[in-house]
Amino acid sequence: MLQAMNTGHAGSMTTIHANTPRDALSRLELLAGFAGFSGREDTLRQWVASAIDLVVQIGRLPGGERKVLSIDEVTGYADEKIILQEIFHYDRGERRFLRSAVFSVNARNAEGGERPVTGPARSLPHAR
């Protein structure tokens, strides 16, 4: 799967069982090792970071209902770590899906002009 994603096959999608998006990436590294990857860890992490754009976590709520719990963007690799930025998350208390506070976007007002959405901002998602 990682080979296909790193050789220009756009639109790839796969599943992996994990408790968090970060855990999913760690398990992916582990599975690559089981499959015979014999390179260095940082090489594998760079390979994963360049292949994957988004991690979508789906989970089961206490009542049995399945929900998308978070959408995280893989933004790169630095300090021997794959960098994740949460874009959206499901707030169990409010029972709704929220944009994470790490970025803001411009919305359209009634006249069609742009207006900033309030909240702290760092950067916009840049998934390809």
Side-chain angles (χ1 to χ4, degrees):
M1 177 214 41
L2 285 173
Q3 272 184 317
M5 294 170 107
N6 271 316
T7 56
H9 290 77
S12 301
M13 184 169 62
T14 191
T15 62
I16 190 166
H17 292 263
N19 295 317
T20 66
R22 169 87 40 219
D23 186 35
L25 296 177
S26 295
R27 287 179 187 233
L28 193 56
E29 290 178 40
L30 183 66
L31 290 171
F34 289 159
F37 180 82
S38 58
R40 296 181 355 200
E41 279 185 26
D42 66 322
T43 302
L44 176 59
R45 288 182 184 140
Q46 289 173 5
W47 198 33
V48 168
S50 70
I52 297 176
D53 295 322
L54 298 171
V55 178
V56 178
Q57 180 189 4
I58 299 171
R60 191 180 309 224
L61 300 179
E65 183 181 20
R66 291 187 187 272
K67 288 274 188 196
V68 172
L69 299 179
S70 71
I71 299 175
D72 289 44
E73 180 183 23
V74 177
T75 60
Y77 176 79
D79 299 324
E80 300 180 8
K81 214 170 142 179
I82 297 171
I83 310 300
L84 286 173
Q85 174 178 308
E86 184 179 74
I87 302 172
F88 297 100
H89 69 278
Y90 182 74
D91 186 306
R92 293 177 192 223
E94 293 191 33
R95 299 184 48 107
R96 64 187 185 119
F97 209 56
L98 303 172
R99 185 182 73 242
S100 296
V102 297
F103 74 95
S104 68
V105 295
N106 287 335
R108 298 267 177 207
N109 61 24
E111 293 80 35
E114 288 191 356
R115 65 171 174 80
V117 175
T118 58
R122 276 200 335 226
S123 63
L124 289 171
H126 61 277
R128 298 174 288 273

